[in-house]
Amino acid sequence: NAGVTQTPKFQVLKTGQSMTLQCAQDMNHEYMSWYRQDPGMGLRLIHYSVGAGITDQGEVPNGYNVSRSTTEDFPLRLLSAAPSQTSVYFCASSFRDTRMNTEAFFGQGTRLTVV
Amino acid sequence: ILNVEQSPQSLHVQEGDSTNFTCSFPSSNFYALHWYRWETAKSPEALFVMTLNGDEKKKGRISATLNTKEGYSYLYIKGSQPEDSATYLCAFCGTSYGKLTFGQGTILTVHP
């Protein structure tokens, strides 16, 4: 059982480059989300999806795009990388529940450095 | 932006000590409160999902309580061990879409 798989684990980008962080889950979870983790700031929500074809913005969406064409995959695209996007990125998934009383499962994280 | 606060930011205890920390969250539109344990170089893993006022949950030496009316939850660790060293995150869910808003975490270090 793979759970939530994120790739790559590490990435270095030059300012202005674009890239896609991949996230896939095999638990048939409806809800998927992307967070970034910066020192002293906890996990901040970038974008989330409550099902295939449905996405919405989180707390810090600027500079990122997402799409959800299948239940399994939720890629995060950086359109034009900036040094401020240097961070550790986590993808998470869970069953969608109106009370969110099911736990979130996290991927291993992607450490991104923009130079 | 929802305000989810954790205190203290960091904590150093000796092996065998019991400890506790706090998560404060909005008391309105409450749906659920999650606790996660996050070890260095790993991913966060769920400890508890709490939904009802007065909930108490326990897993081994770790337990948690919930007060939704006043907007706080406590996490307790009894007889801390070095392997308990981690960042403990709480996350508040206040909407039916299930968005989790995380606190900044409490970093626990247990010294042998």
Side-chain angles (χ1 to χ4, degrees), chain A residues 31 35 37 40-43 45 48 50 57-59 90 96-104 106-109, chain B residues 1 9 30-32 34 36 38 42-46 49 51-52 89 93 95-104:
Chain A
Y31 185 84
Y35 293 88
Q37 191 262 327
M41 303 195 74
L43 291 168
L45 184 64
Y48 67 99
V50 298
Q57 295 181 351
E59 183 186 348
F90 284 94
R96 183 187 176 186
D97 183 277
T98 56
R99 290 176 63 85
M100 196 62 179
N101 60 357
T102 55
E103 64 189 271
F106 286 83
Q108 319 92 300
Chain B
I1 295 176
Q9 280 195 319
F30 175 86
Y31 270 76
H34 294 214
Y36 291 83
W38 190 3
K42 294 188 177 180
S43 307
E45 291 186 346
V49 177
T51 57
L52 297 174
L89 294 168
C93 176
T95 73
S96 60
Y97 286 126
K99 287 194 297 183
L100 286 176
T101 300
F102 282 85
Q104 71 275 43

Side-chain angles (χ1 to χ4, degrees), chain A:
Chain A
N1 186 1
V4 180
T5 304
Q6 269 184 252
T7 55
K9 283 192 175 180
F10 302 95
Q11 182 72 48
V12 178
L13 288 179
K14 293 183 179 177
T15 298
Q17 284 185 316
S18 62
M19 78 159 293
T20 299
L21 279 61
Q22 301 292 344
C23 176
Q25 53 88 12
D26 61 359
M27 297 174 280
N28 203 30
H29 285 168
E30 303 98 324
Y31 185 84
M32 296 185 75
S33 53
W34 277 102
Y35 293 88
R36 60 177 288 173
Q37 191 262 327
D38 302 294
M41 303 195 74
L43 291 168
R44 292 185 293 168
L45 184 64
I46 305 171
H47 285 284
Y48 67 99
S49 168
V50 298
I54 306 168
T55 63
D56 206 346
Q57 295 181 351
E59 183 186 348
V60 287
N62 292 341
Y64 307 95
N65 269 359
V66 291
S67 59
R68 183 97 180 267
S69 54
T70 66
T71 299
E72 294 77 21
D73 299 299
F74 190 46
L76 178 73
R77 278 179 282 278
L78 279 72
L79 309 171
S80 176
S84 60
Q85 293 178 304
T86 294
S87 188
V88 181
Y89 292 84
F90 284 94
C91 176
S93 75
S94 67
F95 286 111
R96 183 187 176 186
D97 183 277
T98 56
R99 290 176 63 85
M100 196 62 179
N101 60 357
T102 55
E103 64 189 271
F105 291 83
F106 286 83
Q108 319 92 300
T110 297
R111 186 173 293 275
L112 175 69
T113 303
V114 182
V115 297

Side-chain angles (χ1 to χ4, degrees), chain B residues 27-99:
Chain B
S27 55
S28 58
N29 292 327
F30 175 86
Y31 270 76
L33 193 282
H34 294 214
W35 281 100
Y36 291 83
R37 170 191 161 90
W38 190 3
E39 292 180 74
T40 302
K42 294 188 177 180
S43 307
E45 291 186 346
L47 287 170
F48 305 114
V49 177
M50 308 177 80
T51 57
L52 297 174
N53 185 44
D55 251 357
E56 290 190 27
K57 299 232 174 176
K58 188 175 180 181
K59 185 182 286 189
R61 293 179 292 99
I62 304 177
S63 60
T65 61
L66 178 68
N67 183 325
T68 61
K69 294 187 189 306
E70 296 181 42
Y72 65 84
S73 176
Y74 294 135
L75 190 79
Y76 301 91
I77 302 179
K78 186 177 177 182
S80 302
Q81 300 296 308
E83 56 266 31
D84 295 329
S85 297
T87 298
Y88 291 84
L89 294 168
C90 69
F92 169 77
C93 176
T95 73
S96 60
Y97 286 126
K99 287 194 297 183

Side-chain angles (χ1 to χ4, degrees), chain B residues 10 13 18 23 25 33 48 78 86 108:
Chain B
S10 65
V13 302
S18 294
C23 174
F25 52 85
L33 193 282
F48 305 114
K78 186 177 177 182
L108 175 66

